[in-house]
Coordinates of all heavy atoms in Angstrom, one line a residue:
M1 N 32.1 35.2 25.2 CA 31.4 35.8 24.1 C 31.1 34.7 23.0 O 30.0 34.8 22.4 CB 32.6 36.7 23.5 CG 32.1 37.5 22.2 SD 33.2 38.7 21.8 CE 33.4 38.4 20.2
W2 N 32.0 33.9 22.6 CA 31.7 32.9 21.5 C 30.7 31.8 22.1 O 30.1 31.3 21.2 CB 33.1 32.1 21.3 CG 34.0 33.0 20.6 CD1 35.2 33.5 21.0 CD2 34.0 33.5 19.2 NE1 35.8 34.3 20.1 CE2 35.0 34.3 19.0 CE3 32.9 33.4 18.1 CZ2 35.3 34.9 17.7 CZ3 33.2 34.0 17.0 CH2 34.4 34.7 16.8
K3 N 30.7 31.6 23.3 CA 29.6 30.7 23.8 C 28.2 31.2 23.5 O 27.4 30.4 23.1 CB 29.8 30.5 25.3 CG 29.0 29.4 25.8 CD 29.4 29.1 27.3 CE 28.6 27.9 27.7 NZ 28.9 27.5 29.1
R4 N 28.0 32.5 23.6 CA 26.7 33.0 23.4 C 26.4 32.9 21.9 O 25.2 32.6 21.5 CB 26.7 34.6 23.8 CG 25.4 35.2 23.9 CD 25.4 36.6 24.3 NE 26.5 37.1 25.0 CZ 27.0 38.2 24.9 NH1 26.3 39.1 24.3 NH2 28.2 38.5 25.7
Y5 N 27.3 33.2 21.0 CA 27.1 33.1 19.6 C 26.8 31.5 19.2 O 26.0 31.1 18.4 CB 28.2 33.5 18.7 CG 28.4 35.0 18.7 CD1 29.6 35.5 19.0 CD2 27.4 35.8 18.4 CE1 29.9 36.8 19.0 CE2 27.5 37.1 18.6 CZ 28.8 37.7 18.8 OH 29.0 39.1 18.8
W6 N 27.5 30.6 19.9 CA 27.4 29.2 19.7 C 25.9 28.7 20.2 O 25.3 28.0 19.4 CB 28.5 28.4 20.4 CG 28.2 26.9 20.3 CD1 27.9 26.0 21.2 CD2 28.4 26.1 19.0 NE1 27.8 24.7 20.7 CE2 28.1 24.9 19.4 CE3 28.6 26.5 17.7 CZ2 28.1 23.7 18.4 CZ3 28.6 25.4 16.8 CH2 28.4 24.1 17.1
E7 N 25.4 29.2 21.2 CA 24.1 29.0 21.7 C 23.0 29.5 20.7 O 22.0 28.8 20.5 CB 23.8 29.4 23.1 CG 24.7 28.7 24.2 CD 24.4 27.3 24.3 OE1 23.3 26.8 24.1 OE2 25.5 26.6 24.5
A8 N 23.3 30.6 20.2 CA 22.3 31.2 19.4 C 22.3 30.4 18.0 O 21.3 30.1 17.4 CB 22.7 32.7 19.0
W9 N 23.5 30.1 17.6 CA 23.6 29.2 16.3 C 22.9 27.9 16.5 O 22.3 27.3 15.5 CB 25.1 29.1 15.9 CG 25.2 28.0 14.7 CD1 25.7 26.9 14.7 CD2 24.7 28.3 13.4 NE1 25.6 26.3 13.5 CE2 24.9 27.2 12.7 CE3 23.9 29.4 12.8 CZ2 24.6 27.0 11.3 CZ3 23.6 29.2 11.5 CH2 24.0 28.1 10.8
K10 N 23.1 27.3 17.6 CA 22.4 26.0 17.9 C 20.8 26.2 17.8 O 20.2 25.3 17.3 CB 22.8 25.3 19.2 CG 24.2 24.9 19.3 CD 24.6 24.0 20.4 CE 24.0 24.2 21.8 NZ 24.6 23.5 22.9
R11 N 20.4 27.3 18.4 CA 18.9 27.5 18.3 C 18.5 27.7 16.9 O 17.4 27.1 16.4 CB 18.6 28.5 19.2 CG 18.4 28.4 20.7 CD 17.8 29.5 21.4 NE 18.4 30.9 21.2 CZ 19.4 31.4 21.9 NH1 19.9 30.6 22.9 NH2 19.8 32.6 21.7
V12 N 19.1 28.4 16.1 CA 18.8 28.6 14.7 C 18.9 27.3 14.0 O 18.2 27.0 13.2 CB 19.8 29.7 14.0 CG1 19.6 29.7 12.5 CG2 19.5 31.1 14.7
G13 N 20.1 26.5 14.1 CA 20.2 25.2 13.5 C 19.1 24.3 13.8 O 18.7 23.5 13.0
Q14 N 18.6 24.3 15.0 CA 17.5 23.5 15.4 C 16.2 23.9 14.7 O 15.5 23.0 14.2 CB 17.2 23.6 17.0 CG 16.1 22.7 17.5 CD 16.7 21.4 17.6 OE1 17.7 20.9 17.8 NE2 15.6 20.5 17.5
R15 N 15.9 25.0 14.5 CA 14.8 25.5 13.7 C 15.0 25.1 12.2 O 13.9 24.7 11.6 CB 14.6 27.0 13.9 CG 14.0 27.3 15.3 CD 13.8 28.8 15.5 NE 13.3 29.0 16.9 CZ 13.3 30.2 17.5 NH1 13.5 31.3 16.8 NH2 12.8 30.3 18.7
I16 N 16.1 25.3 11.7 CA 16.3 25.0 10.3 C 16.1 23.5 10.1 O 15.6 23.0 9.2 CB 17.8 25.5 9.8 CG1 17.8 27.1 9.8 CG2 18.1 24.9 8.5 CD1 19.2 27.6 9.5
G17 N 16.7 22.8 11.0 CA 16.6 21.2 10.9 C 15.2 20.8 11.1 O 14.7 19.9 10.4
N18 N 14.4 21.4 11.9 CA 13.0 21.1 12.1 C 12.2 21.4 10.8 O 11.4 20.6 10.3 CB 12.4 21.9 13.2 CG 11.0 21.3 13.7 OD1 10.6 20.4 13.1 ND2 10.4 22.1 14.5
L19 N 12.5 22.5 10.3 CA 11.8 22.9 8.9 C 12.2 22.0 7.8 O 11.4 21.5 7.1 CB 12.1 24.3 8.6 CG 11.6 24.9 7.2 CD1 10.0 24.9 7.3 CD2 12.2 26.1 6.9
Q20 N 13.5 21.8 7.7 CA 14.0 20.8 6.7 C 13.4 19.4 6.8 O 12.9 18.7 5.9 CB 15.5 20.6 6.8 CG 16.1 19.9 5.7 CD 17.7 19.7 5.8 OE1 18.2 20.2 6.8 NE2 18.4 19.1 4.8
A21 N 13.3 18.8 8.1 CA 12.7 17.5 8.3 C 11.2 17.6 7.9 O 10.7 16.6 7.3 CB 12.8 17.1 9.7
R22 N 10.5 18.6 8.2 CA 9.0 18.6 7.9 C 8.9 18.6 6.3 O 8.0 18.0 5.8 CB 8.4 19.9 8.5 CG 8.3 19.7 9.9 CD 7.6 21.1 10.5 NE 7.6 21.0 11.8 CZ 6.5 20.9 12.6 NH1 5.2 20.6 12.0 NH2 6.6 20.9 13.9
I23 N 9.8 19.4 5.5 CA 9.7 19.5 4.2 C 10.0 18.1 3.5 O 9.4 17.6 2.7 CB 10.6 20.6 3.7 CG1 10.0 21.9 4.1 CG2 10.7 20.5 2.0 CD1 10.9 23.1 3.7
L24 N 11.1 17.4 4.0 CA 11.5 16.2 3.4 C 10.5 15.1 3.7 O 10.2 14.3 2.8 CB 12.9 15.7 4.0 CG 14.1 16.7 3.4 CD1 15.3 16.2 4.1 CD2 14.2 16.4 1.9
L25 N 10.0 15.0 4.9 CA 9.0 14.1 5.2 C 7.6 14.2 4.5 O 7.0 13.3 4.0 CB 8.7 14.0 6.7 CG 9.9 13.4 7.6 CD1 9.5 13.4 9.0 CD2 10.2 12.0 7.1
T26 N 7.3 15.5 4.2 CA 6.1 15.7 3.4 C 6.4 15.4 1.9 O 5.4 14.7 1.4 CB 5.9 17.3 3.5 OG1 5.5 17.7 4.8 CG2 4.6 17.6 2.6
F27 N 7.5 15.6 1.4 CA 7.7 15.0 0.0 C 7.8 13.5 0.0 O 7.3 12.9 -1.0 CB 9.1 15.7 -0.5 CG 9.0 17.1 -1.0 CD1 10.0 17.9 -0.6 CD2 8.0 17.4 -1.9 CE1 9.9 19.3 -1.2 CE2 7.9 18.7 -2.3 CZ 8.8 19.7 -2.0
F28 N 8.4 12.9 1.0 CA 8.5 11.5 1.1 C 7.1 10.9 1.2 O 6.7 10.0 0.4 CB 9.2 11.0 2.3 CG 9.1 9.6 2.5 CD1 9.9 8.8 1.7 CD2 8.4 9.0 3.5 CE1 9.9 7.3 1.9 CE2 8.3 7.6 3.6 CZ 9.1 6.8 2.9
Y29 N 6.2 11.5 2.0 CA 4.8 11.1 2.0 C 4.1 11.2 0.7 O 3.4 10.4 0.3 CB 4.1 11.7 3.2 CG 2.6 11.3 3.3 CD1 2.3 10.2 4.0 CD2 1.6 12.2 2.8 CE1 1.0 9.7 4.1 CE2 0.3 11.7 3.0 CZ 0.0 10.4 3.5 OH -1.3 10.0 3.7
G30 N 4.2 12.3 0.2 CA 3.4 12.7 -1.2 C 3.9 12.0 -2.2 O 3.2 11.7 -3.2
L31 N 5.1 11.6 -2.4 CA 5.7 10.9 -3.5 C 5.8 9.4 -3.5 O 5.9 8.8 -4.5 CB 7.1 11.5 -3.9 CG 7.1 12.9 -4.3 CD1 8.6 13.3 -4.5 CD2 6.3 13.2 -5.5
I32 N 5.9 8.9 -2.3 CA 5.9 7.4 -2.1 C 4.7 6.8 -1.4 O 4.1 5.9 -1.9 CB 7.3 7.1 -1.4 CG1 8.4 7.5 -2.2 CG2 7.3 5.7 -1.0 CD1 9.8 7.4 -1.6
V33 N 4.4 7.3 -0.3 CA 3.5 6.6 0.6 C 2.0 6.8 0.0 O 1.2 5.8 -0.1 CB 3.5 7.0 2.0 CG1 2.3 6.5 2.9 CG2 4.8 6.7 2.7
L34 N 1.7 8.1 -0.3 CA 0.3 8.4 -0.8 C 0.0 7.6 -2.1 O -1.1 7.0 -2.2 CB 0.2 9.8 -1.0 CG -1.1 10.3 -1.4 CD1 -2.2 10.1 -0.2 CD2 -1.1 11.8 -1.6
P35 N 0.8 7.6 -3.2 CA 0.5 6.9 -4.3 C 0.5 5.3 -4.1 O -0.4 4.7 -4.7 CB 1.7 7.3 -5.4 CG 2.2 8.5 -4.8 CD 2.0 8.5 -3.3
F36 N 1.3 4.8 -3.3 CA 1.2 3.3 -3.0 C -0.2 3.1 -2.2 O -0.7 2.0 -2.7 CB 2.4 3.0 -2.1 CG 2.3 1.6 -1.7 CD1 2.7 0.6 -2.7 CD2 1.9 1.2 -0.5 CE1 2.5 -0.7 -2.3 CE2 1.7 -0.2 -0.1 CZ 2.2 -1.1 -1.0
G37 N -0.6 3.9 -1.4 CA -1.8 3.7 -0.8 C -3.0 3.8 -1.6 O -3.9 3.0 -1.5
L38 N -3.2 4.7 -2.4 CA -4.0 4.9 -3.4 C -4.1 3.8 -4.4 O -5.3 3.3 -4.7 CB -4.0 6.2 -4.1 CG -4.2 7.5 -3.3 CD1 -3.9 8.8 -4.1 CD2 -5.7 7.5 -2.7
A39 N -3.0 3.4 -4.9 CA -3.0 2.3 -5.9 C -3.5 0.9 -5.1 O -4.1 0.2 -5.7 CB -1.6 2.1 -6.3
A40 N -3.1 0.7 -4.0 CA -3.5 -0.5 -3.2 C -4.9 -0.5 -2.9 O -5.7 -1.5 -3.0 CB -2.7 -0.7 -1.9
R41 N -5.5 0.7 -2.8 CA -6.9 0.7 -2.4 C -7.9 0.6 -3.6 O -8.7 -0.1 -3.5 CB -7.2 2.1 -1.7 CG -8.6 2.3 -1.4 CD -8.9 3.8 -0.8 NE -10.3 3.8 -0.6 CZ -10.8 4.0 0.6 NH1 -10.0 4.5 1.6 NH2 -12.1 4.2 0.9
F42 N -7.4 1.1 -4.8 CA -8.2 1.1 -6.0 C -8.0 0.1 -6.9 O -8.8 -0.3 -7.7 CB -8.2 2.4 -6.6 CG -8.7 3.6 -5.8 CD1 -8.0 4.8 -5.4 CD2 -10.1 3.6 -5.5 CE1 -8.6 5.8 -4.8 CE2 -10.6 4.7 -4.7 CZ -9.9 5.8 -4.4
L43 N -6.8 -0.6 -6.8 CA -6.4 -1.6 -7.9 C -6.4 -3.1 -7.2 O -6.3 -3.9 -8.0 CB -5.0 -1.3 -8.4 CG -4.9 0.0 -9.1 CD1 -3.5 0.3 -9.6 CD2 -5.9 0.1 -10.2
T44 N -6.6 -3.2 -5.9 CA -6.7 -4.6 -5.4 C -7.9 -4.8 -4.6 O -8.6 -3.8 -4.2 CB -5.4 -4.7 -4.4 OG1 -5.6 -3.8 -3.3 CG2 -4.2 -4.5 -5.2
D45 N -8.1 -6.0 -4.6 CA -9.3 -6.5 -3.7 C -9.0 -7.7 -2.9 O -9.4 -8.8 -3.3 CB -10.6 -6.7 -4.7 CG -11.8 -6.9 -3.9 OD1 -12.0 -6.6 -2.7 OD2 -12.8 -7.5 -4.5
P46 N -8.2 -7.5 -1.8 CA -7.7 -8.7 -1.1 C -8.8 -9.6 -0.5 O -8.6 -10.7 -0.4 CB -6.6 -8.1 -0.1 CG -7.2 -6.8 0.1 CD -7.8 -6.3 -1.3
L47 N -9.9 -9.0 -0.1 CA -11.0 -9.7 0.4 C -12.0 -10.2 -0.5 O -12.9 -10.8 -0.2 CB -11.6 -9.0 1.6 CG -10.8 -8.5 2.8 CD1 -11.5 -7.6 3.7 CD2 -10.2 -9.7 3.4
R48 N -11.8 -9.9 -1.8 CA -12.7 -10.3 -2.8 C -14.2 -9.9 -2.6 O -15.2 -10.6 -2.7 CB -12.6 -11.8 -3.1 CG -11.3 -12.1 -3.8 CD -11.4 -13.6 -4.2 NE -10.5 -14.3 -3.3 CZ -10.4 -15.6 -3.2 NH1 -11.2 -16.4 -3.8 NH2 -9.6 -16.1 -2.3
I49 N -14.3 -8.7 -2.1 CA -15.7 -8.0 -1.9 C -16.3 -7.6 -3.1 O -17.5 -7.7 -3.3 CB -15.4 -7.0 -0.8 CG1 -14.9 -7.6 0.4 CG2 -16.7 -6.2 -0.6 CD1 -14.7 -6.5 1.5
K50 N -15.6 -7.0 -4.0 CA -16.2 -6.3 -5.1 C -16.9 -7.4 -6.1 O -17.9 -7.1 -6.8 CB -15.1 -5.6 -5.9 CG -14.5 -4.3 -5.2 CD -13.5 -3.6 -5.9 CE -12.9 -2.5 -5.0 NZ -11.8 -1.9 -5.6
R51 N -16.3 -8.5 -6.3 CA -16.9 -9.5 -7.2 C -16.7 -11.0 -6.4 O -15.7 -11.2 -5.8 CB -16.3 -9.6 -8.5 CG -14.8 -9.9 -8.5 CD -14.4 -9.9 -10.0 NE -13.0 -10.1 -10.1 CZ -12.3 -11.3 -10.0 NH1 -13.0 -12.4 -10.1 NH2 -11.1 -11.4 -10.0
R52 N -17.7 -11.7 -6.4 CA -17.7 -13.0 -5.9 C -16.9 -14.0 -6.8 O -17.0 -13.9 -8.0 CB -19.0 -13.6 -5.7 CG -19.8 -12.8 -4.6 CD -21.1 -13.5 -4.3 NE -21.8 -12.9 -3.1 CZ -22.9 -13.2 -2.7 NH1 -23.5 -14.2 -3.3 NH2 -23.4 -12.6 -1.7
P53 N -16.1 -14.9 -6.2 CA -15.4 -16.0 -7.1 C -16.4 -16.8 -7.8 O -17.5 -17.0 -7.3 CB -14.7 -16.6 -6.0 CG -14.6 -15.8 -4.8 CD -15.8 -15.0 -4.8
Q54 N -16.1 -17.3 -8.9 CA -16.9 -18.1 -9.7 C -17.3 -19.5 -9.0 O -18.3 -19.9 -9.2 CB -16.3 -18.5 -11.0 CG -17.2 -19.1 -12.0 CD -18.4 -18.2 -12.4 OE1 -18.4 -17.0 -12.3 NE2 -19.5 -18.8 -12.7
E55 N -16.3 -20.0 -8.2 CA -16.6 -21.3 -7.5 C -17.9 -21.2 -6.5 O -18.3 -22.2 -6.0 CB -15.5 -21.8 -6.8 CG -14.8 -21.0 -5.8 CD -13.7 -20.1 -6.2 OE1 -13.4 -20.0 -7.4 OE2 -13.0 -19.6 -5.3
W56 N -18.0 -19.9 -6.1 CA -19.2 -19.8 -5.2 C -20.6 -20.0 -5.9 O -21.6 -20.3 -5.3 CB -19.3 -18.4 -4.6 CG -18.3 -18.1 -3.6 CD1 -17.3 -19.0 -3.1 CD2 -18.2 -17.0 -2.8 NE1 -16.6 -18.4 -2.1 CE2 -17.0 -17.2 -2.0 CE3 -18.8 -15.8 -2.8 CZ2 -16.6 -16.2 -1.0 CZ3 -18.4 -14.8 -1.8 CH2 -17.2 -15.1 -1.0
L57 N -20.7 -19.8 -7.2 CA -21.9 -19.9 -8.0 C -22.1 -21.2 -8.7 O -23.1 -21.4 -9.3 CB -21.9 -18.7 -9.0 CG -21.7 -17.4 -8.3 CD1 -21.6 -16.2 -9.5 CD2 -22.7 -17.0 -7.4
D58 N -21.1 -22.1 -8.8 CA -21.1 -23.3 -9.6 C -21.5 -24.6 -8.9 O -21.3 -25.6 -9.4 CB -19.7 -23.5 -10.1 CG -19.3 -22.5 -11.1 OD1 -20.1 -21.7 -11.5 OD2 -18.1 -22.6 -11.6
H59 N -22.3 -24.5 -7.8 CA -22.7 -25.7 -7.1 C -24.2 -25.9 -6.9 O -24.6 -26.3 -5.9 CB -21.9 -25.7 -5.6 CG -20.5 -25.5 -5.8 ND1 -19.7 -26.6 -6.2 CD2 -19.6 -24.6 -5.5 CE1 -18.4 -26.2 -6.2 NE2 -18.3 -24.9 -5.7
P60 N -25.0 -25.8 -7.9 CA -26.4 -26.0 -7.7 C -26.7 -27.4 -7.5 O -27.8 -27.8 -6.9 CB -26.9 -25.4 -9.0 CG -26.0 -25.5 -10.0 CD -24.7 -25.4 -9.2
E61 N -26.0 -28.4 -8.1 CA -26.3 -29.9 -8.1 C -25.9 -30.4 -6.7 O -26.3 -31.7 -6.6 CB -25.7 -30.6 -9.3 CG -24.2 -30.7 -9.3 CD -23.5 -29.5 -9.8 OE1 -24.2 -28.6 -10.3 OE2 -22.3 -29.4 -9.6
E62 N -25.1 -29.9 -5.9 CA -24.7 -30.5 -4.6 C -26.0 -30.6 -3.7 O -26.7 -29.7 -3.5 CB -23.6 -29.9 -4.0 CG -22.3 -30.0 -4.7 CD -21.2 -29.4 -3.9 OE1 -21.3 -29.2 -2.7 OE2 -20.1 -29.2 -4.4
T63 N -26.0 -31.7 -3.0 CA -26.9 -31.9 -1.9 C -26.5 -31.4 -0.6 O -25.3 -31.6 -0.4 CB -27.4 -33.4 -1.7 OG1 -26.3 -34.1 -1.4 CG2 -28.1 -33.9 -3.0
E64 N -27.2 -30.8 0.1 CA -26.7 -30.2 1.4 C -27.3 -31.1 2.6 O -28.3 -30.7 3.1 CB -27.2 -28.8 1.5 CG -26.6 -27.8 0.4 CD -27.1 -26.4 0.5 OE1 -27.9 -26.0 1.4 OE2 -26.6 -25.6 -0.3
D65 N -26.6 -32.0 2.8 CA -27.0 -32.9 3.9 C -25.9 -32.9 5.0 O -25.1 -32.0 5.0 CB -27.3 -34.4 3.5 CG -26.0 -34.9 2.8 OD1 -25.0 -34.1 2.6 OD2 -26.0 -36.1 2.4
I66 N -26.0 -33.7 6.0 CA -25.1 -33.7 7.2 C -23.6 -34.1 6.7 O -22.7 -33.5 7.2 CB -25.6 -34.6 8.3 CG1 -24.7 -34.3 9.6 CG2 -25.5 -36.1 7.9 CD1 -25.1 -33.0 10.1
G67 N -23.5 -35.0 5.7 CA -22.2 -35.4 5.2 C -21.6 -34.2 4.5 O -20.4 -34.0 4.6
W68 N -22.4 -33.5 3.8 CA -21.9 -32.3 3.1 C -21.4 -31.2 4.1 O -20.3 -30.7 3.9 CB -22.9 -31.7 2.1 CG -22.5 -30.5 1.5 CD1 -21.8 -30.4 0.4 CD2 -22.8 -29.0 1.9 NE1 -21.7 -29.1 0.0 CE2 -22.3 -28.2 1.0 CE3 -23.5 -28.6 3.0 CZ2 -22.5 -26.9 1.1 CZ3 -23.6 -27.2 3.1 CH2 -23.1 -26.4 2.2
A69 N -22.1 -31.0 5.2 CA -21.7 -30.0 6.2 C -20.4 -30.4 7.1 O -19.7 -29.6 7.3 CB -22.9 -30.0 7.2
R70 N -20.2 -31.7 7.2 CA -19.1 -32.2 7.9 C -17.8 -32.1 7.0 O -16.7 -32.0 7.5 CB -19.3 -33.7 8.3 CG -20.2 -33.8 9.5 CD -20.4 -35.2 9.9 NE -21.3 -35.3 11.1 CZ -21.9 -36.3 11.5 NH1 -21.8 -37.5 10.8 NH2 -22.8 -36.2 12.5
R71 N -18.0 -32.2 5.7 CA -16.8 -32.1 4.7 C -16.6 -30.6 4.5 O -17.2 -30.1 3.7 CB -17.2 -33.0 3.5 CG -15.9 -33.0 2.7 CD -16.4 -33.7 1.3 NE -17.1 -32.6 0.6 CZ -18.3 -32.8 0.0 NH1 -18.7 -34.0 -0.2 NH2 -19.0 -31.9 -0.7
Q72 N -15.7 -30.0 5.2 CA -15.4 -28.7 5.1 C -14.5 -28.3 3.9 O -14.3 -27.2 3.5 CB -14.8 -28.0 6.3 CG -15.9 -28.1 7.4 CD -15.5 -27.4 8.7 OE1 -14.5 -26.7 8.7 NE2 -16.2 -27.6 9.8
W73 N -13.7 -29.2 3.4 CA -12.8 -28.9 2.4 C -13.1 -29.7 1.2 O -13.0 -30.5 0.6 CB -11.3 -29.3 2.8 CG -10.8 -28.5 4.0 CD1 -10.8 -28.9 5.2 CD2 -10.6 -27.0 4.1 NE1 -10.4 -27.9 6.1 CE2 -10.3 -26.7 5.4 CE3 -10.6 -26.0 3.1 CZ2 -10.0 -25.5 5.9 CZ3 -10.2 -24.7 3.5 CH2 -9.9 -24.5 4.9

């Protein structure tokens, strides 16, 4: 008799745990992961695509010969 109740309670507990995990993980994603991802996307430019660095524009007087091409740094 008690075994039947215990098996029923395990099924109910499994469903409650599944619901609780979904709710907690949704809050975790919405409160921590999502704002971090949005901030990283809109506030950083790791590849510097949005604006070119100034040093790319400051070299009009350099001659572009074979010596210049071999010196990469």
